[in-house]
Amino acid sequence: MKLCMRPPREEEWRICRMLLPETFTDVSSRMYLLAMRDEAPHIVAAASFRQGPESVTHLRLHVVPSFRRRGVGSQVVEYVSKSGERSIGGIVEVTKEPGAGQFCERNHFERVESLTTVEADMAEMRDYMRRLRGRIVTPRGASTIPLSEAPVDQVARLHARYVAQEGELNQWRGLVARSPEMEMSPVVMIDGCVAGILLGQIEGATAVVRSRVVAPGYHGSWVNAMLLAEALDIGWAGGARRARFSYTDSNRDTQKLAIRFRAEITSVVARYTRPVGNL
């Protein structure tokens, strides 16, 4: 099938919004592309991405269902990557779009990382973390305070350095703000310095952990346990009875926590990339 690739015209932006609604929450520096054919229906696919000199990132591609498995998506990928001259990458919510993951594999993309979101019963999890916290002997000069009372420059610096880079997988990984919406957000301080932060909020009956990070030197220490125990207490007091949290492939500790409490997987978002020349 011969296709013409071009940016949308004024009257076609409505169709772009219908096909790629998730991209319109952050359109900054995004490019949009339509795949057209001569006969009706003319628009068979839409793509959105950010383009650099040697790479394409944040690719989202939607092929009209009746035209899938007919080479349309592959043509769009080749056009965007300039026949392999640019590396290309994007994310796929595997749990909702299993066919998209298969498409990536057929087109020589590599799955480099994923973010798994799970939900667990909060009562058992909270009781376990409270017992664990009770065995912690905190050093002199250590305290736990709300995010609103923490030194925002230290919090932002720690979050930006170790967490915000993962924003493509999880938009909340790029968020740090002194906001009432982040009411479930304890900060561990040691001698006036931020040792760890947890950003969370309560959504109805669910306590949602958005991100958690500790400073170098405290990885795998009591700081992680203290943050989670404090957050679960805040969530429980706020009426939450379920806990939702996420982990990347490399975060074995949180993955073990999910297994311990028989957490149910609600979402898996995977990042795929195709290096230059990988055709």
Side-chain angles (χ1 to χ4, degrees):
M1 183 186 308
K2 188 174 181 181
L3 298 174
C4 169
M5 312 287 179
R6 62 166 174 78
R9 293 170 180 158
E10 185 66 31
E11 66 274 13
E12 294 166 339
W13 280 106
R14 179 179 59 85
I15 297 174
C16 280
R17 283 184 175 273
M18 290 173 56
L19 298 180
L20 298 166
E22 69 280 3
T23 67
F24 283 85
T25 60
D26 180 17
V27 298
S28 175
S29 72
R30 274 193 174 276
M31 300 179 68
Y32 286 82
L33 188 72
L34 293 177
M36 315 285 297
R37 66 175 195 156
D38 291 336
E39 63 268 33
H42 297 289
I43 298 175
V44 295
S48 177
F49 50 90
R50 291 186 171 97
Q51 181 175 303
E54 299 177 355
S55 64
V56 170
T57 62
H58 300 83
L59 173 68
R60 290 294 294 169
L61 170 63
H62 182 99
V63 177
V64 174
S66 57
F67 288 89
R68 290 172 186 172
R69 292 189 173 275
R70 295 171 63 178
V72 172
S74 297
Q75 287 190 56
V76 175
V77 167
E78 294 310 312
Y79 181 88
V80 171
S81 68
K82 295 190 69 173
S83 299
E85 292 179 16
R86 295 192 185 106
S87 65
I88 187 168
I91 61 170
V92 172
E93 189 164 351
V94 179
T95 41
K96 290 184 178 179
E97 307 170 300
Q102 296 164 10
F103 168 82
C104 288
E105 292 166 5
R106 288 197 306 271
N107 285 272
H108 311 290
F109 284 77
E110 301 170 0
R111 181 167 168 167
V112 294
E113 190 177 25
S114 62
L115 180 80
T116 302
T117 300
V118 299
E119 284 194 13
D121 179 75
M122 195 168 164
E124 183 183 357
M125 190 174 178
R126 175 174 171 261
D127 288 345
Y128 172 81
M129 295 307 302
R130 293 185 89 183
R131 291 195 302 271
L132 188 61
R133 180 177 55 190
R135 297 198 295 267
I136 294 173
V137 179
T138 58
R140 185 173 298 178
S143 62
T144 304
I145 61 176
L147 177 65
S148 58
E149 297 177 11
V152 68
D153 56 336
Q154 290 189 42
V155 170
R157 189 160 52 244
L158 179 63
H159 192 271
R161 184 173 180 183
Y162 294 102
V163 180
Q165 293 88 340
E166 299 172 8
E168 186 178 359
L169 283 176
N170 182 349
Q171 62 169 328
W172 291 98
R173 296 290 173 114
L175 171 68
V176 59
R178 300 172 78 171
S179 165
E181 294 180 355
M182 293 286 120
E183 71 271 33
M184 199 183 76
S185 302
V187 177
V188 170
M189 304 290 295
I190 300 178
D191 295 327
C193 296
V194 172
I197 56 175
L198 183 149
L199 296 183
Q201 63 186 143
I202 301 169
E203 293 184 351
T206 304
V208 183
V209 176
R210 297 302 187 185
S211 63
R212 179 169 49 121
V213 60
V214 298
Y218 296 104
H219 295 166
S221 72
W222 60 271
V223 174
N224 264 315
M226 184 67 76
L227 287 169
L228 188 53
E230 291 289 330
L232 291 175
D233 274 352
I234 297 169
W236 186 271
R241 295 298 181 263
R242 299 278 293 173
R244 183 188 309 148
F245 54 98
S246 305
Y247 56 87
T248 56
D249 298 334
S250 58
N251 193 336
R252 301 297 184 190
D253 289 342
T254 305
Q255 186 176 8
K256 290 177 182 177
L257 198 67
I259 294 170
R260 172 184 284 274
F261 298 109
R262 300 174 296 280
E264 302 171 4
I265 294 175
T266 61
S267 171
V268 178
V269 178
R271 182 159 60 91
Y272 285 86
T273 63
R274 194 176 79 169
V276 173
N278 197 3
L279 300 176

